[in-house]
Amino acid sequence: LEVAEGLARWVKARTDRSDPVHMERVLNFTEQGGMNEALADLYALTGKAEYLATARRFDERHYAEPLARGVDALKGEHANSFIPNIVGAAREYELTGDPVLRQVATFFWTQVAGARSFATGGTSDNEAWETDPFQLYDELGADSHESCCTYNMLKLTRRLFGWEADARYADYYERALFNGILPTQDPGDGMMMYYVPMKPGLYRTFMTPFDSFWCCTGTGMENHAKYGDSVYFHDGSGLFVNLYIASELDWAEKGVRIRQETRFPEEAGTTLTVRAAKPAKFALRLRVPGWAAGPCGVRINGRALEAAAGPSSYLSIDRTWRDGDRIEMALPMGLRLERLPDRPDVAAVLYGPLVLAGRLGGGEALTEEMVSGKYGPAGEPVPVPRLDAADTAPREAWIKPVAGRSLTFRTEGAGRPADVTLVPFSRLFGERYAIYWQRGAPSR
């Protein structure tokens, strides 16, 4: 704490020399990252108002003022300078109650998650937002989806859920975690990605152990601690189960442990077991995902629960829980297409929460020089098949599971010139891939 306060005093003394106009110029020329969040946290720890005042000096007015008016002026902005600044604004709201800061954070999240994100939950191209809202086709690049952006969007999403327990936040968190974080670490050697190419026909590139320490290397080490983050939340009356990840919660205030056992998404369901020294009354709120392909049936101690809830909401079970109570929940998954808003003839294929990537092969041609120590891939993408099935055809009629291979699918009579195998994006390494597919002839 002594060291942190010493640094904060230095930052205050240094920035006090700048008037507001000069300070804004300085912030526009650099990635100030989470300085406002760090200083606001220091204020929360110490109660020293000068740290909060210094934090507010790192709020970029040209970022915040349009958002406060409900205006998306993000085009041309550097994404991973912007997102941490909004995380800091959210933290400042928690400490000040300023409703303008809340508007800034929530409107920003709505725009990025809803109008500027790929199917994976990632965002940005060439580290920036280069287009207007809902214009994503031209963002499908070799240098898109900077992984630091996904990490910081998860930080912001966690804060916003703490303000309002809206299942939309948890839906986004799951999407970005499974498809934007999990695929960014090489399972062979642990190396991290910087860009996650969204342009079809390209391949992954990774850092090296000693010669490429980037921002997304440092953040990348934090990325993979996220799997135990935001699984559970609670309020004064109950528990929210947001993510279906095998885990155990020690809820000391209630004297309760909740053990979640699941192989999701390998299996379409989860089981929670209550351990309690004495009966405990609380509401157990199970997220019904927005992607659910049918009713998420629940059984308690083997008996079906008659209550139900719609997609992107919570099924709340308010009762007195006893040691050994067992809750089983079905999580039915189905195939669907997510079309680009500006190009409905271009779509990604998803199964439940999982983005499916097409295996395009070519791994034998990916040399060490092409893959290692690079921000993103070089060279042109390989040609990618079109998927020409009629829009009226059920997905299951032309995308079929491969027998004996979990979460593996193959198109049937739909690929032009050839059908393709589809697997979760988080599993496809060491070859070229496609996430977005041309559906029939281009619309422009």
Side-chain angles (χ1 to χ4, degrees), residues 341-399:
D342 54 326
R343 286 288 300 272
D345 59 320
V346 176
V349 181
L350 286 88
Y351 181 68
L354 303 175
V355 172
L356 300 181
R359 301 189 65 173
L360 302 182
E364 67 282 353
L366 298 179
T367 66
E368 185 74 12
E369 184 180 9
M370 293 170 66
V371 171
S372 296
K374 302 287 194 300
Y375 285 164
E380 291 300 312
V382 299
V384 176
R386 299 193 320 273
L387 299 184
D388 275 357
D391 284 344
T392 55
R395 307 290 172 259
E396 291 75 13
W398 57 276
I399 306 176

Side-chain angles (χ1 to χ4, degrees), residues 74-85:
L74 304 181
K75 183 178 178 179
E77 295 288 358
H78 186 277
N80 201 49
S81 176
F82 210 125
I83 303 170
N85 201 260

Side-chain angles (χ1 to χ4, degrees), residues 282-286 298 300 305 307 315-319 321 327:
F282 61 90
L284 182 66
R285 304 183 183 103
L286 303 170
V298 173
I300 300 177
L305 185 72
L315 176 60
S316 184
I317 310 167
D318 194 348
R319 57 175 277 166
W321 299 94
I327 306 99

Side-chain angles (χ1 to χ4, degrees), residues 235-249:
D235 60 11
S237 60
L239 180 72
F240 296 88
V241 181
N242 274 1
L243 301 175
Y244 299 109
I245 294 175
S247 53
E248 185 165 295
L249 169 71

